[in-house]
Amino acid sequence: MRITFLGTGAAGGVPLYGCSCAACSVAKTNAVFAREPCSALIESGTTRILIDGGLMDLHKRFAPGDLDAIVLTHFHPDHVQGLFHLRWGKGPSIPVFIPPDPDGCADLFRHPGILDFNPQKAFSAFEIGGLKVTPVPLIHSKPTFGYVFEVTGGPTFAYLTDTRGLPNDTQHFLQTIKPDGLAIDCTFPPSGQPKGHNDWTLALDCIQAVDPAQAWLIHISHELDNWRQSTNPALPNRINVARDGDWVDFTLPS
Amino acid sequence: MRITFLGTGAAGGVPLYGCSCAACSVAKTNAVFAREPCSALIESGTTRILIDGGLMDLHKRFAPGDLDAIVLTHFHPDHVQGLFHLRWGKGPSIPVFIPPDPDGCADLFRHPGILDFNPQKAFSAFEIGGLKVTPVPLIHSKPTFGYVFEVTGGPTFAYLTDTRGLPNDTQHFLQTIKPDGLAIDCTFPPSGQPKGHNDWTLALDCIQAVDPAQAWLIHISHELDNWRQSTNPALPNRINVARDGDWVDFTLPS
Ligand SMILES: [Mn+2]
Ligand SMILES: [Mn+2]
Ligand SMILES: [Mn+2]
Ligand SMILES: [Mn+2]
Ligand SMILES: [Zn+2]
Ligand SMILES: [Zn+2]
């Protein structure tokens, strides 16, 4: 199972439009440090799953038929804005697995086009290709699911954004799984009372509680990049701040 | 006053995602025939006005401070989807003139960021830079304004999308103005009962009724391009099917 972090940015991304802070200035001159809207690709065998639809050039990145499914964490625009255009396409419909949110975003439910929305239940696993996918509730301003991806008898990977901390039942479920990899919202630098999202402190607390083999911080704001540039905070070896384009292979135990 | 047609496509654009019709095939191999979401730039002196925000790379096309204002025809996603990202930027706010639509689109009103939304009244002119701008009601599935741009004592240009025909008061207003240029929704080939948008027949009827010096057909679907490719329908000299990137200068009468 390969995970590719297509985008690792918070809403607005890095560089933020019109911002000349240190982090945004670096990202403007060196695309390695730029952050597109938060999104990832899961590949296992011939199965390809897109997590979230916030990349605005989805219709250019993926040819028709490339994706077996899309899973959406929630219906905030930075996670669905690329679907407004894609949906009007032709050809086979794309299954889109979603949290139960009666509002969706704008007119996506009224005019789904080629998107086939499938609301899911918390902790009730479904299958895409050979992959088992389990939605786990998160804590955010709209109904939001994280997702655990599992190859039968093989590696597990959990993708958890957007969230501020973890609900108890989600934390217990993840502690039982003890995933090989975990990606988690880390929008803000340490801030005492972060709103709607994890800050650095809370993200590291969640990782410690779940104890995955490896972890990636995602949904990164320019504030977090700035703070890291100026303070160079230490991180345990197994925890990485993800960059756009980073990928990791999880292999079956031999 | 210069008008540049940044995008001339209907929702979904040309090529339409996953479509292999003749028009979409041509547009895939030759970008001259591609159509981005419907949008235009008005320039007069140092004043720059963007009509509609459906281009998804707005934050890359325009540097902060480049635009004096944005005017929105209506809140369908293909006319505002690029604003979801842009709004989170930093710096001076951008005045956005809009029709009175209490819903807006998704959470744009709740989280406007740097966008400063200004609802307007039909036929009540406002000023941007030296330009007089008059909103005129159109006929569509959401509250929708066309806009007439006027340089004092000089040329006038009317931009009318999305619409199916013209309300009587709008038609009378435009007949009085007799604009130098007019751009109008022409989404479909002749179809008898077009829904929500003009077809070819209705668009030409509207142009004949208003009698502008020059006219451009915009908000073009792949169906219209296909139909034109196969039938090569005649057009009066003063009427053009706009292409992305086309521009026209209207000069002051000498
Ligand atoms: Mn987000
Ligand atoms: Mn969110
Ligand atoms: Mn439209
Ligand atoms: Mn519309
Ligand atoms: Zn910044
Ligand atoms: Zn087509």
Side-chain angles (χ1 to χ4, degrees):
Chain A
M1 179 166 58
R2 171 175 292 193
I3 318 302
T4 307
F5 296 98
L6 302 176
T8 59
V14 183
L16 194 68
Y17 185 72
C19 186
S20 53
C21 77
C24 288
S25 300
V26 168
K28 256 177 252 174
T29 54
N30 189 342
V32 168
F33 299 100
R35 299 184 185 279
E36 295 282 327
C38 220
S39 175
L41 185 67
I42 310 277
E43 295 169 285
S44 175
T46 60
T47 302
R48 303 180 93 205
I49 305 170
L50 176 69
I51 307 178
D52 279 343
L55 296 168
M56 284 169 286
D57 56 355
L58 282 183
H59 57 296
K60 291 175 184 163
R61 288 183 188 238
F62 298 102
D66 268 7
L67 294 173
D68 294 277
I70 300 174
V71 300
L72 295 184
T73 59
H74 65 303
F75 281 93
H76 276 154
D78 58 316
H79 298 260
V80 302
Q81 58 204 357
L83 301 179
F84 290 121
H85 189 81
L86 191 75
R87 64 173 156 168
W88 298 116
K90 293 220 161 189
S93 71
I94 306 173
V96 185
F97 299 92
I98 62 173
D101 181 342
D103 297 329
C105 185
D107 60 359
L108 280 177
F109 286 167
R110 197 200 300 217
H111 300 293
I114 58 168
L115 305 177
D116 177 19
F117 290 109
N118 291 272
Q120 299 301 308
K121 274 192 205 158
F123 303 112
S124 181
F126 55 95
E127 287 234 358
I128 305 171
L131 282 169
K132 181 176 158 190
V133 187
T134 310
V136 297
L138 298 178
I139 303 170
H140 197 49
S141 56
K142 252 184 157 334
T144 302
F145 278 161
Y147 293 94
V148 180
F149 300 87
E150 187 176 351
V151 178
T152 313
T156 52
F157 175 77
Y159 190 90
L160 310 174
T161 204
D162 296 2
T163 196
R164 184 191 180 285
L166 294 176
N168 283 333
D169 49 359
T170 293
Q171 186 169 310
H172 291 148
F173 181 84
L174 292 167
Q175 285 170 331
T176 311
I177 300 248
K178 210 168 173 337
D180 298 288
L182 178 149
I184 190 162
D185 182 328
C186 181
T187 302
F188 303 118
S191 55
Q193 290 290 341
K195 278 179 68 181
H197 296 277
N198 285 337
D199 65 0
W200 180 266
T201 314
L202 207 43
L204 297 191
D205 286 351
C206 293
I207 293 170
Q208 189 167 33
V210 173
D211 195 27
Q214 267 187 286
W216 288 264
L217 305 176
I218 57 173
H219 207 273
I220 309 288
S221 70
H222 71 143
E223 288 101 337
L224 188 84
D225 277 338
N226 259 325
W227 173 75
R228 287 173 55 235
Q229 259 182 250
S230 59
T231 63
N232 198 22
L235 266 184
N237 256 339
R238 61 168 179 166
I239 307 182
N240 312 279
V241 179
R243 280 193 194 156
D244 286 21
D246 280 357
W247 54 268
V248 56
D249 280 326
F250 296 103
T251 48
L252 290 163
S254 52
Chain B
M1 179 166 56
R2 171 172 294 192
I3 318 301
T4 307
F5 296 99
L6 302 177
T8 60
V14 183
L16 194 68
Y17 186 71
C19 186
S20 53
C21 78
C24 289
S25 300
V26 168
K28 257 176 250 174
T29 54
N30 190 341
V32 168
F33 299 100
R35 299 185 185 278
E36 294 283 327
C38 218
S39 174
L41 184 68
I42 310 278
E43 295 169 285
S44 176
T46 61
T47 302
R48 305 181 92 203
I49 304 170
L50 176 69
I51 307 179
D52 278 344
L55 297 168
M56 284 170 286
D57 56 355
L58 283 184
H59 57 295
K60 291 174 185 164
R61 288 183 188 238
F62 298 103
D66 268 7
L67 295 173
D68 294 277
I70 300 174
V71 300
L72 295 185
T73 59
H74 64 304
F75 281 93
H76 276 153
D78 57 315
H79 298 259
V80 302
Q81 58 205 357
L83 301 178
F84 289 122
H85 188 81
L86 190 76
R87 65 173 155 167
W88 297 117
K90 293 222 161 187
S93 71
I94 306 172
V96 185
F97 299 92
I98 60 174
D101 180 342
D103 297 329
C105 185
D107 59 358
L108 280 177
F109 287 167
R110 196 199 300 218
H111 300 293
I114 59 168
L115 305 177
D116 178 19
F117 290 109
N118 292 272
Q120 298 301 308
K121 273 192 207 160
F123 303 112
S124 181
F126 55 96
E127 286 233 358
I128 305 173
L131 282 169
K132 182 176 158 190
V133 187
T134 309
V136 297
L138 299 178
I139 303 170
H140 197 49
S141 56
K142 253 183 156 331
T144 302
F145 277 160
Y147 293 93
V148 181
F149 301 86
E150 186 175 351
V151 179
T152 312
T156 52
F157 174 77
Y159 190 89
L160 311 174
T161 203
D162 297 1
T163 196
R164 184 192 180 285
L166 294 175
N168 282 335
D169 50 359
T170 293
Q171 186 169 312
H172 291 149
F173 181 85
L174 292 167
Q175 284 169 333
T176 312
I177 298 252
K178 213 169 172 332
D180 299 287
L182 178 149
I184 191 162
D185 182 327
C186 181
T187 302
F188 303 118
S191 56
Q193 289 290 341
K195 278 178 69 181
H197 296 277
N198 285 336
D199 65 359
W200 180 266
T201 314
L202 208 42
L204 297 190
D205 286 352
C206 293
I207 293 169
Q208 190 168 34
V210 174
D211 195 27
Q214 267 188 285
W216 289 263
L217 306 177
I218 57 172
H219 206 274
I220 308 288
S221 69
H222 70 143
E223 287 100 337
L224 188 84
D225 276 339
N226 259 324
W227 173 76
R228 288 173 54 235
Q229 260 182 250
S230 60
T231 63
N232 198 20
L235 267 185
N237 257 340
R238 61 168 178 165
I239 306 182
N240 311 278
V241 180
R243 281 194 192 154
D244 286 21
D246 281 357
W247 54 268
V248 57
D249 280 326
F250 296 103
T251 48
L252 290 164
S254 51

